[in-house]
Amino acid sequence: MNAYRSQRWPPIRRCQAGTRPPETGHRTGGWRERAGFSVTVAALGAILLGCSQPVPQAAGKAIVDSAQMARSAWREGLEADARGDSALAWHSVHRAAMGWPEQSAYIRGLAVLAARHRDTTQLVLALDRLATMEVGLDTAEDPALARMSAGALVQAALQRLQGATRPRPESRAWAALPDTTIFAEGLDADLRTSTVYVTSLRHRTIYAVDSAGGVRDLQVGRAPGVSAIFAVRFDPARSVLWAATSGLPAAEGYQPADSAIAALLRIDPVSGAIQARYPAPAATPHVLGDIALGPEGDVFVSDSRTPALYRLRPGTETMEWFSDPLFHSLQGVAPTPDGRWVYLADYSHGLLRWDLRTGTVTRLTVPAGATSLGLDGILLDGRSIVGIQNGLAPPRVVRFTLDQAGERVVATEVLDRHLPLADEPTNVTRLNN
């Protein structure tokens, strides 16, 4: 769900309008032009698109402070490099990488600077850190690094990185839409009929794709007050679709006034008619990006722009609003079957867990050398979370195995890394039980 095109480093440069900084930051609506649209199936049967103790709440502020410090140091490094102050650039980028070690963009920055200064030791260390995280293959494209690649140590480190990020094509195409400009974003399935619902950012609609590959346009955008449609969830208990719409310039017919559009929609899956609309608070800008259904019928909606989490309880007409210092760029949402917890993917802070009884939000720690940053859509699968990490290079489908208490990540596994089929996957859902 990213409205910014990726910006690579080198050369180090300021973020221009319409681009995303090199670090994994906000993701607010994907609209990259693609050669085609595919829905693929991961090995686990899900489909995708296009500390041993809980972390105390007091630790939340420390996490936020650490991330903010790292972001500040990163910006300082970019500005220093632009001025030609290489010493300050190195110091600042190194501080960013040490302060927020899960942020692969900072480590990549270290590798680039080390290559520029022909520091083999630091370059190899940075490349090996990227290899451990299984990200950052594009680092080898840097001209300065290419000039050092003939050296035996650097060459060996590059080979380790290449091996760690090699393609892992475990997915296959399930169906394809002929329109290459829909900018597919969200999806969900009606398990009873194997119908897959796919949203379009560009065409402001939802497509129903049946198991034979037939496509039906629900024409949701014919109603007023509908812009880009991000997320969709099928509610089997009520036989309705829940969808999230937000104003996005990439949407057809966009007008400046559309920037105020942000609402949860209840939709008839047969006619596409909007049965009810639940707007986000008008006081702040919004990008409603993902939806999940709780076991008691609650509808949860993430907002990556404010950022906040909304909750629509059954029988109510207004969404409740929740925020927390750990919310920076909320994406995927996954409630637990017992209704106690909601797992959240934050693009900048990684995996979070919200306690519905206390309102406490904690960040899940991950094993050394792993990262949960850059997560978009997520799915709770037993004692693990399957997610789309499109904030990393290369993007991938990954499984995070949780401990028995569901308080921390004990293992990570890349399930799929298939760029030719899905160069920017966004979301994940279950196709069968």
Side-chain angles (χ1 to χ4, degrees):
M1 292 172 280
N2 195 340
Y4 304 104
R5 295 180 186 273
S6 297
Q7 176 174 298
R8 303 302 183 193
W9 186 18
I12 301 175
R13 57 188 182 272
R14 295 177 184 272
C15 181
Q16 303 298 318
T19 62
R20 183 178 71 205
E23 67 160 321
T24 298
H26 291 285
R27 178 171 173 81
T28 56
W31 50 278
R32 177 180 297 175
E33 191 80 42
R34 296 174 185 149
F37 160 73
S38 295
V39 178
T40 60
V41 182
L44 54 90
I47 64 173
L48 59 114
L49 191 62
C51 83
S52 58
Q53 298 296 321
V55 179
Q57 183 62 14
K61 185 177 185 302
I63 292 169
V64 172
D65 289 346
S66 179
Q68 289 179 340
M69 179 278 293
R71 282 191 284 270
S72 177
W74 175 257
R75 289 191 295 269
E76 184 180 68
L78 295 180
E79 293 169 357
D81 185 81
R83 297 193 307 267
D85 188 343
S86 58
L88 180 58
W90 173 263
H91 171 76
S92 299
V93 173
H94 186 270
R95 191 156 59 95
M98 297 303 104
W100 198 236
E102 284 191 46
Q103 180 53 269
S104 60
Y106 299 164
I107 303 171
R108 184 183 186 279
L110 281 179
V112 170
L113 287 177
R116 289 184 185 179
H117 293 281
R118 307 190 70 81
D119 188 330
T120 299
T121 300
Q122 293 297 330
L123 174 56
V124 169
L125 286 173
L127 291 176
D128 280 345
R129 285 181 64 185
L130 290 172
T132 300
M133 298 172 77
E134 299 186 43
V135 300
L137 181 59
D138 58 339
T139 309
E141 300 170 3
D142 178 73
L145 196 148
R147 289 193 293 270
M148 295 188 65
S149 61
L153 292 177
V154 175
Q155 190 176 74
L158 285 172
Q159 289 175 350
R160 289 192 292 272
L161 179 59
Q162 184 175 21
T165 56
R166 67 186 182 278
R168 187 179 178 126
E170 302 293 339
S171 58
R172 63 178 178 83
W174 184 81
L177 294 181
D179 190 337
T180 63
T181 67
I182 70 169
F183 301 153
E185 179 68 27
L187 80 167
D188 200 17
D190 177 354
L191 302 184
R192 302 171 303 183
T193 63
S194 296
T195 300
V196 176
Y197 296 96
V198 183
T199 70
S200 171
L201 298 180
R202 169 65 66 83
H203 299 326
R204 302 181 295 121
T205 192
I206 300 172
Y207 297 97
V209 186
D210 62 35
S211 57
V215 179
R216 181 168 57 93
D217 183 354
L218 299 186
Q219 299 183 348
V220 179
R222 64 191 173 188
V226 176
S227 186
I229 298 183
F230 285 79
V232 63
R233 290 295 170 198
F234 178 75
D235 186 341
R238 297 164 183 79
S239 293
V240 300
L241 293 176
W242 297 98
T245 184
S246 296
L248 191 73
E252 286 181 329
Y254 177 84
Q255 300 294 324
D258 293 347
S259 63
I261 294 175
L264 171 67
L265 307 176
R266 175 173 166 151
I267 300 171
D268 183 329
V270 177
S271 67
I274 297 175
Q275 300 174 338
R277 178 188 300 266
Y278 307 90
T284 55
H286 307 280
V287 173
L288 305 185
D290 208 349
I291 298 173
L293 304 179
E296 302 301 323
D298 294 350
V299 183
F300 298 94
V301 187
S302 65
D303 185 345
S304 63
R305 182 83 181 272
T306 298
L309 184 69
Y310 304 96
R311 181 183 190 180
L312 180 69
R313 298 178 187 265
T316 63
E317 298 299 322
T318 304
M319 293 193 296
E320 301 173 52
W321 179 87
F322 302 89
S323 188
D324 188 88
L326 282 170
F327 295 175
H328 190 259
S329 180
L330 287 183
Q331 308 296 327
V333 185
T336 58
D338 61 4
R340 172 71 191 276
W341 315 97
V342 175
Y343 288 99
L344 304 167
D346 189 279
Y347 219 60
S348 300
H349 288 157
L351 281 171
L352 310 176
R353 191 177 73 165
W354 181 35
D355 188 328
L356 291 176
R357 297 180 186 175
T358 66
T360 301
V361 178
T362 55
R363 182 175 185 269
L364 276 64
T365 58
V366 298
T371 180
S372 64
L373 303 190
L375 263 178
D376 199 347
I378 60 173
L379 170 74
L380 189 62
D381 184 39
R383 199 164 53 85
S384 65
I385 294 172
V386 177
I388 307 295
Q389 278 185 303
N390 53 30
L392 305 178
R396 62 198 190 183
V397 185
V398 63
R399 179 187 296 275
F400 298 91
T401 301
L402 309 179
D403 65 355
Q404 288 289 346
E407 298 170 340
R408 64 188 179 99
V409 176
V410 295
T412 62
E413 177 190 6
V414 175
L415 301 177
D416 185 77
R417 198 162 41 215
H418 199 176
L419 284 178
L421 188 62
D423 67 334
E424 192 179 357
T426 57
N427 221 316
V428 59
T429 193
R430 194 179 305 281
L431 185 58
N432 50 43
N433 291 315

